[in-house]
Amino acid sequence: QVQLQESGPGLVKPSQTLSLSCSVSGDSITRPNYYWSWIRQPAGMGLEWIGRLSPRGSTNYNPSLESRVTISLDTSKNQFSLRLTSVTAADTAVYYCARDEGVELWGGGGYFDSWGQGSLVTVSS
Amino acid sequence: DIQMTQSPSSLSASVGDRVTITCRASQSIRSYLNWYQQRPGKAPKVLIFAASTLQRGVPSRFSGSGSGTDFTLTVSSMQPEDFATYYCQQSYSTPRTFGQGTKVE
């Protein structure tokens, strides 16, 4: 059974870069069936999709964050990472990594079938 | 972006009640609609995918229906562990978007 685990600093200063990693166990991150996503949730609020990585290494980002976001793959560690630059207090949230199962060849479809436990990141000086 | 609107935002229910939550998309998303349950302090958990397919291990009291722009999640008989927040999510296009959530209390 696949397990995902986020890791990274819990406190980031304004204007700096937020960096998180998601370690995947129980499955290979390079399997062709899955995409890998980051999703965040400010306290008491709803879910916001940040972006995803395809099996071929291509990325899709939320346009609202695209200028600041990079999602990348580290196959040697079986993990993927999130970088978010120039953070502000509005980026304070619980950040989840998730596996996107069932995405069709054209990139549509799929659902988030496995999630990490979440990593709280606070942006504050 | 495709906007997802859930109603109601919250509802009060009792054990044994039948509960229905609706989700409307701002444009047709065919059947590319998923439902998640989130308990406090926990990650969301998928209940239904592709509008009406029950995820393995999810109790059969949960069901989903709809296509195009209008979708429904039904819990046929609420159990104590079902009191949580529910989200719909479209997977028709990027960016993936979620409804604002429905808190069942």
Side-chain angles (χ1 to χ4, degrees):
Chain A
Q1 183 175 350
V2 68
Q3 290 190 318
L4 290 78
Q5 176 70 58
E6 304 90 352
S7 61
L11 181 65
V12 181
K13 289 182 166 50
S15 80
Q16 294 193 342
T17 296
L18 179 160
S19 295
L20 292 172
S21 294
C22 180
S23 295
V24 179
S25 58
D27 202 358
S28 171
I29 201 168
T30 59
R31 284 235 296 183
N33 317 57
Y34 305 121
Y35 282 57
W36 304 92
S37 283
W38 286 97
I39 296 159
R40 71 181 182 177
Q41 186 174 36
M45 297 180 66
L47 298 158
E48 180 181 31
W49 180 80
I50 298 170
R52 70 179 183 181
L53 194 61
S54 80
R56 292 158 294 285
S58 63
T59 52
N60 299 111
Y61 299 129
N62 193 320
S64 67
L65 298 167
E66 187 163 16
S67 63
R68 300 193 290 131
V69 171
T70 304
I71 297 175
S72 59
L73 189 63
D74 186 338
T75 55
S76 66
K77 296 181 180 177
N78 210 46
Q79 67 183 29
F80 62 108
S81 300
L82 170 71
R83 287 184 77 249
L84 182 66
T85 62
S86 305
V87 298
T88 69
D91 295 309
T92 295
V94 175
Y95 285 75
Y96 294 101
C97 56
R99 187 177 75 173
D100 198 349
E101 152 84 280
V103 179
E104 300 176 18
L105 289 176
W106 57 279
Y111 56 98
F112 303 115
D113 72 325
S114 297
W115 297 65
Q117 65 187 29
S119 179
L120 174 62
V121 178
T122 301
V123 179
S124 175
S125 54
Chain B
D1 299 6
I2 297 176
Q3 307 303 315
M4 307 300 294
T5 304
Q6 287 180 235
S7 60
S9 296
S10 65
L11 66 91
S12 182
S14 300
V15 172
D17 282 355
R18 181 182 182 88
V19 165
T20 298
I21 299 168
T22 63
C23 178
R24 175 164 288 177
S26 59
Q27 66 182 73
S28 176
I29 57 171
R30 296 164 57 183
S31 293
Y32 294 106
L33 190 283
N34 307 315
W35 289 99
Y36 299 86
Q37 176 194 67
Q38 186 178 33
R39 298 189 176 107
K42 300 294 185 182
K45 166 190 164 185
V46 64
L47 302 173
I48 303 280
F49 62 91
S52 60
T53 303
L54 195 66
Q55 171 71 333
R56 276 191 315 273
V58 173
S60 59
R61 62 181 179 272
F62 291 93
S63 63
S65 65
S67 67
T69 60
D70 294 309
F71 302 87
T72 299
L73 172 71
T74 299
V75 187
S76 60
S77 177
M78 286 290 290
Q79 299 303 302
E81 61 269 29
D82 300 337
F83 291 87
T85 301
Y86 294 85
Y87 293 94
C88 62
Q89 175 246 328
Q90 63 83 16
S91 60
Y92 180 73
S93 67
T94 57
R96 299 297 197 242
T97 47
F98 293 84
Q100 81 278 17
T102 296
K103 186 173 184 179
V104 181
E105 50 194 354

